[in-house]
Amino acid sequence: MFKSNDILRRQTALKGERKIPVLICITLLFMVHVVAVYWWHRNDDLLFPLIMVAPRSIPPFWHAIFIIMVNDTMVRQAAMAFKCVILMYYKNSRGRNYRRQGQMLTVVEYLLLLYRALLPAPVWYRFFLNKEYGSLFSSLTTGLYLTFKLTSIVEKVQSFFTALKALSRKEVHYGSYATTDQVLASGDLCAICQEKMHAPILLRCKHIFCEDCVSEWFERERTCPLCRALVKPADLKSFGDGSTSLFFQLF
């Protein structure tokens, strides 16, 4: 999973130098891996939680952990394959398209986080209904778990809709497009890439950069590259670099 994440981030960083055949091969490898794992474990009740259905039988604790970890890993792998498709679509992304690509990758990641938060629920619901521990204990633990899970899901839903709202926003929320006079006055040279500006953006601090350069900068920072003035508002963490969250969603 770490290796897959690194591969995807490297492909995202290549921008216009990405090669479609390479992305197709990566996508196919990811999907073949997913299909092979589910075929190999086809008798282990892995598929039911994917559609929010509890396993047919009450799983032992370690088998419940196994189901959750395998599903969590494979769902992330499938999401990485989908992100490769996005990178193919935005192969020659510059300016607005580069920003759009980052927003799309971020939306996919937050949707993935929401789905992954839901995945363990059917498994633990079935596990906590085990009457061997007593009806009172079973009902209490099930209620506590579902309450905790609902709180987590609400947070994930809010994050997803915030990312979706950012995707629908057409304007640049950390500045505006610079006029020709403003670009000429600044020297028409981007301080980040040291090349002639493409789709120049005027930040609130009045410094101008290429849109794709400054968009990539704001994947990591919130301040101007030159004066370090706070420019980007504190919003959701961006996953525009193609990264995928690597922590396991066990509960």
Side-chain angles (χ1 to χ4, degrees), residues 28-98:
L28 290 176
L29 283 173
F30 286 171
M31 292 311 300
V32 166
H33 179 218
V34 172
V35 172
V37 168
Y38 279 115
W39 181 84
W40 185 262
H41 295 286
R42 58 190 180 278
N43 297 321
D44 289 327
D45 276 348
L46 293 179
L47 295 176
F48 289 101
L50 294 177
I51 54 174
M52 299 299 117
V53 175
R56 289 171 293 186
S57 58
I58 298 175
F61 177 77
W62 290 112
H63 188 61
I65 293 291
F66 170 77
I67 292 173
I68 292 168
M69 290 185 68
V70 171
N71 278 337
D72 189 65
T73 302
M74 292 302 101
V75 164
R76 280 182 288 170
Q77 191 84 84
M80 289 180 184
F82 184 70
K83 289 179 181 180
C84 284
V85 175
I86 293 176
L87 294 182
M88 282 186 262
Y89 181 78
Y90 289 104
K91 177 182 179 295
N92 296 314
S93 59
R94 293 202 67 181
R96 297 182 188 182
N97 282 338
Y98 180 78

Side-chain angles (χ1 to χ4, degrees), residues 176-222:
S176 58
Y177 288 102
T179 64
T180 303
D181 291 340
Q182 289 171 329
V183 173
L184 292 175
S186 69
D188 197 18
L189 188 69
C190 176
I192 297 177
C193 65
Q194 295 296 308
E195 295 180 1
K196 184 179 175 64
M197 291 194 192
H198 177 80
I201 294 291
L202 175 67
L203 301 183
R204 296 190 179 100
C205 60
K206 305 305 180 184
H207 289 120
I208 303 177
F209 306 92
C210 299
E211 182 172 8
D212 47 352
C213 292
V214 79
S215 294
E216 185 175 2
W217 172 267
F218 284 135
E219 297 293 343
R220 307 179 301 274
E221 305 287 344
R222 294 173 53 203

Side-chain angles (χ1 to χ4, degrees), residues 11 19 22 38 54-55 62 104 149 152 167 170 176 185 199 206 208 220 232 235 244 248:
Q11 288 297 317
K19 292 180 172 56
V22 173
Y38 279 115
W62 290 112
M104 282 292 296
K149 179 55 66 176
S152 174
L167 178 64
K170 294 183 179 180
S176 58
K206 305 305 180 184
I208 303 177
R220 307 179 301 274
K232 187 180 179 183
D235 51 11
T244 299
F248 280 103

